Amino acid sequence: MIPDSFKQDLLNRVDVVEVVSRYVQLKKGGANYLGLCPFHGEKTPSFTVSPAKQFYHCFGCGAHGNAIGFLMAYAGLGYVESLKELASAAGMQMPEWQPRSREEAEREERETDLAAVMEVAMEFYRAELKKSPRAIEYLKARGLTGEIAARFRIGFAPEDWQSLRGAYPKYDDKSLVEAGLVVENEGKRYDRFRDRIMFPILSSRGAVVGFGGRVLGEGEPKYLNSPETLLFEKGREVYGLVQARDAIRAAGRALIVEGYMDVVALAQFGVGYSVATLGTATTPVHVAKLLRLADELVFCFDGDVAGRKAAWRALEVSLPLATDAKPIRFLFLPDGDDPDSYIRKHAQDAFERQVREAQTLSGFLLAELRSAADLSTAEGRSQYLVAAKPHLQKLAAPALRLQLVNEVAGLTRVLPEDVERLVGPANTPVFRRPAPARAAPAIAASQERNLLRCVLAKPALVAELDDALLEPGLPETGALRAIAELDEGDGMSAALLVDRFQGTEFEQIVFQAQASALEQELAEESADHDFRQIQLALRIRRKHEEIEVLKGRVKAEPGLNAELGIRVKELHQLKSQRI
């Protein structure tokens, strides 16, 4: 694992305000910075970033984290990717962490080498496009400008069987095969992509991980994708995400289409929030990644049989990930049209009207099930119930599930509670982790929670914690003891605590206490004073408890009167220490 000392050093050098402000417009508000939350739609800022504590918190949706967590949530990067991104910006070298197998080290080194190979290929294809009037005319005929081609880094693979020799003097290097650029067959080598318009596929970080090539003539296959490699997994990447990210945030919507040219053409005509799956069915990773960025997903398919089958697969994948706050819709274009042709015929306004009026997930689900059952008969209604059951079980969004249960009950002429009994509880997906819950303000804070709030404002205070004063069984007590066990001394920061407690049983209680400290703008100096006063109050509480126990035993053991007097005297001395 990556040493905490490195993460702490990194978080000390990185300013979360600077990181967040690359993507969110922030304004100074007291000791903190405020902005519109990038993780849910809002008109009044509830998103707060603390430069002192180096974490952010949204008081609207509960999103919470440090600079590492922000890149993971906003940019869709993995944990290690986020660390690398921040380390690179801070001029730090990622450590060789242990335990690390030889295979893992070799794989990472190979990935770095292949990324460089893919970058060279992309620049080669882009240069070749400028030399090919035929390829340029094809793109112009599709309505694309040079500006949009440059934005998506579109290139051209010449018809030559070994054109990549012009980019790689060592054409026989194994990295070209490993990257999927060259095919090796019976001792012979040739370029995988020939006479094709080349669409680079970028990772969330903007690195080239693969290509999609569209044939210029009548050859087959029409589209050819890079094979699965160390860099490229079709089920994890979507085309055009880097170019679409800002537009998705602005529109609050992501449009998922099927082809590279659809994405590029839509962007050319002003619809910049579209992405495409890469010649494969929609996966849970695709949906989860896009739901982190958008308030609404719209799948766009052709209206033919194949399009509806693809939409149904997308629906089945989306059900476990659907939320009550982020609708998922399905748009079916008229027969013979795809997004590219439709927007060129009817222009942006007409296309976006179709997007806004797209069928809801619930409407599509109920209609498809209804088309396969005769609801005028008891048998048909039973068939409908049986068909609906597995889909309702997958649905984890409670309010949407309730609505669908009521709809199904009405269609099948049974009571909603009977449908619930038949369906059973929702299956919670194992690949989904809910966002931290918003703290309930109506609940009075215990002294232990107040103590936790102080420790999270100034973690070094944990060294002065008197464990014997804490009420056992409270989640705050468990969190305080967990922090004490970290034994990081003065090196532990609030930002690192955010990182350490993600995914643990204390995650939510720690986040809530941090949010409370942030809301109250609790400074380290105030935390210092409050911490000591709270511990004093807890000692007084313990002394009161001892006195009550002694009072109950005095009648049976008169000799305890002296001890009782001592405890009462100690109590008065403690009370006199209050500031």
Side-chain angles (χ1 to χ4, degrees):
M1 60 183 293
I2 300 171
D4 281 338
S5 57
F6 172 80
K7 288 186 278 188
Q8 182 62 76
D9 191 19
L10 175 62
L11 290 169
N12 285 340
R13 296 195 198 186
V14 169
D15 182 6
V16 70
V17 176
E18 190 275 328
V19 173
V20 173
S21 62
R22 296 177 203 161
Y23 310 96
V24 180
Q25 187 173 354
L26 299 174
K27 291 184 178 180
K28 194 82 163 65
N32 302 315
Y33 287 79
L34 305 175
L36 295 176
C37 180
F39 303 112
H40 81 287
E42 62 177 8
K43 295 182 179 179
T44 303
S46 61
F47 185 76
T48 304
V49 185
S50 169
K53 300 176 179 63
Q54 286 295 303
F55 62 79
Y56 65 88
H57 182 83
C58 176
F59 292 96
C61 69
H64 186 106
N66 55 20
I68 302 167
F70 184 82
L71 287 182
M72 291 174 67
Y74 186 91
L77 302 183
Y79 184 76
V80 176
E81 282 183 310
S82 298
L83 286 173
K84 287 179 179 178
E85 190 81 9
L86 293 172
S88 175
M92 294 176 65
Q93 182 69 38
M94 284 284 287
E96 296 291 329
W97 62 89
Q98 296 293 335
R100 188 177 185 229
S101 69
R102 180 179 176 182
E103 290 77 13
E104 288 172 328
E106 290 175 351
R107 178 187 175 95
E108 183 173 323
E109 185 178 349
R110 200 67 194 134
E111 285 178 355
T112 302
D113 292 343
L114 292 182
V117 168
M118 296 297 275
E119 191 75 24
V120 170
M122 180 184 71
E123 294 305 326
F124 171 77
Y125 292 138
R126 293 183 70 188
E128 288 299 310
L129 175 62
K130 296 175 183 177
K131 301 176 186 177
S132 173
R134 179 166 156 263
I136 292 171
E137 282 306 311
Y138 171 83
L139 293 177
K140 284 183 177 179
R142 300 297 296 263
L144 303 186
T145 63
E147 182 182 1
I148 206 73
R151 180 181 170 193
F152 284 88
R153 308 176 198 179
I154 295 172
F156 174 66
E159 198 168 1
D160 188 350
W161 284 81
Q162 294 187 344
S163 66
L164 284 175
R165 281 189 180 278
Y168 303 100
K170 295 182 179 179
Y171 187 75
D172 58 348
D173 193 300
K174 67 177 182 178
S175 63
L176 297 180
V177 176
E178 291 178 13
L181 296 170
V182 165
V183 177
E184 194 169 46
N185 188 16
E186 296 181 357
K188 296 181 180 180
R189 285 190 167 211
Y190 54 88
D191 293 0
R192 180 179 299 275
F193 300 101
R194 303 179 307 280
D195 197 29
R196 290 178 181 271
I197 299 293
M198 299 296 288
F199 299 89
I201 301 162
L202 308 181
S203 70
S204 298
R205 298 177 63 194
V208 188
V209 294
F211 291 95
R214 194 210 187 279
V215 69
L216 271 184
E218 297 298 321
E220 291 292 335
K222 184 177 178 181
Y223 281 96
L224 179 65
N225 292 319
S226 289
E228 299 266 327
T229 68
L230 281 176
L231 296 177
F232 181 47
E233 292 180 57
K234 294 178 185 178
R236 301 191 65 85
E237 306 294 345
V238 289
Y239 176 71
L241 182 59
V242 170
Q243 292 86 352
R245 189 178 286 136
D246 288 343
I248 289 172
R249 292 293 185 191
R253 175 190 299 129
L255 179 72
I256 302 101
V257 296
E258 295 185 273
Y260 304 103
M261 189 57 76
D262 291 327
V263 172
V264 177
L266 288 172
Q268 177 72 70
F269 285 88
V271 181
Y273 50 80
S274 70
V275 297
T277 53
L278 304 170
T280 185
T282 306
T283 68
V285 177
H286 292 149
V287 177
K289 181 179 288 191
L290 293 171
L291 279 175
R292 286 199 296 269
L293 298 173
D295 296 325
E296 176 185 63
L297 297 190
V298 181
F299 288 96
C300 182
F301 296 96
D302 298 345
D304 57 15
V305 173
R308 297 194 80 86
K309 282 184 178 178
W312 185 254
R313 288 194 296 270
L315 177 140
E316 290 182 312
V317 166
S318 300
L319 280 171
L321 293 159
T323 72
D324 291 322
K326 296 189 175 186
I328 296 173
R329 298 176 178 273
F330 293 83
L331 169 60
F332 297 98
L333 294 174
D335 285 347
D337 267 325
D338 56 26
D340 177 14
S341 63
Y342 189 93
I343 200 166
R344 282 193 283 145
K345 285 181 193 174
H346 304 285
Q348 178 184 354
D349 288 346
F351 181 82
E352 293 206 280
R353 190 180 311 115
Q354 291 270 12
V355 173
R356 290 192 298 271
E357 296 171 358
Q359 191 175 25
T360 62
L361 178 147
S362 59
F364 179 42
L365 172 62
L366 294 173
E368 288 295 298
L369 295 177
R370 189 169 186 170
S371 67
D374 180 3
L375 297 182
S376 65
T377 67
E379 289 80 2
R381 292 191 293 274
S382 298
Q383 181 184 355
Y384 190 96
L385 277 168
V386 170
K389 178 179 177 179
H391 303 295
L392 293 176
Q393 285 177 329
K394 289 180 185 176
L395 191 58
L400 181 57
R401 189 175 189 272
L402 177 63
Q403 295 293 325
L404 278 169
V405 164
N406 287 335
E407 290 275 2
V408 169
L411 288 169
T412 55
R413 304 180 193 177
V414 298
L415 295 173
E417 49 265 37
D418 292 331
V419 176
E420 284 283 12
R421 253 193 312 273
L422 173 69
V423 172
N427 295 329
T428 304
V430 296
F431 45 81
R432 185 179 181 212
R433 194 180 85 198
R438 189 179 179 184
I443 299 175
S446 66
Q447 291 286 46
E448 282 78 7
R449 177 165 295 198
N450 290 331
L451 206 57
L452 177 60
R453 189 183 297 127
C454 293
V455 167
L456 293 171
K458 186 179 179 181
L461 288 171
V462 77
E464 302 175 32
L465 182 66
D466 187 345
D467 185 85
L469 299 175
L470 304 177
E471 184 72 29
L474 293 177
E476 292 87 353
T477 296
L480 283 165
R481 288 172 175 167
I483 294 171
E485 288 172 5
L486 295 176
D487 193 26
E488 300 291 340
D490 293 334
M492 180 63 70
S493 69
L496 186 58
L497 285 174
V498 169
D499 188 74
R500 289 296 296 266
F501 283 97
Q502 282 189 341
T504 72
E505 61 180 306
F506 301 117
E507 176 181 17
Q508 297 210 9
I509 192 67
V510 168
F511 284 1
Q512 288 168 7
Q514 283 178 321
S516 178
L518 188 64
E519 191 170 28
Q520 296 175 10
E521 297 189 357
L522 184 61
E524 287 195 0
E525 299 77 15
S526 302
D528 230 337
H529 172 269
D530 291 354
F531 180 85
R532 290 171 176 79
Q533 291 301 300
I534 294 166
Q535 288 221 118
L536 178 57
L538 289 173
R539 288 192 180 95
I540 292 172
R541 183 177 75 180
R542 287 288 183 226
K543 200 61 65 179
H544 272 297
E545 290 170 356
E546 287 180 34
I547 289 171
E548 289 304 311
V549 171
L550 285 171
K551 282 181 178 178
R553 293 170 55 193
V554 160
K555 289 182 182 179
E557 303 175 59
L560 291 176
N561 268 314
E563 186 176 346
L564 178 59
I566 292 171
R567 297 292 177 262
V568 171
K569 185 177 180 180
E570 289 173 350
L571 175 61
H572 287 306
Q573 288 174 342
L574 283 172
K575 287 182 176 179
S576 69
Q577 295 175 28
R578 285 189 179 279
I579 298 173

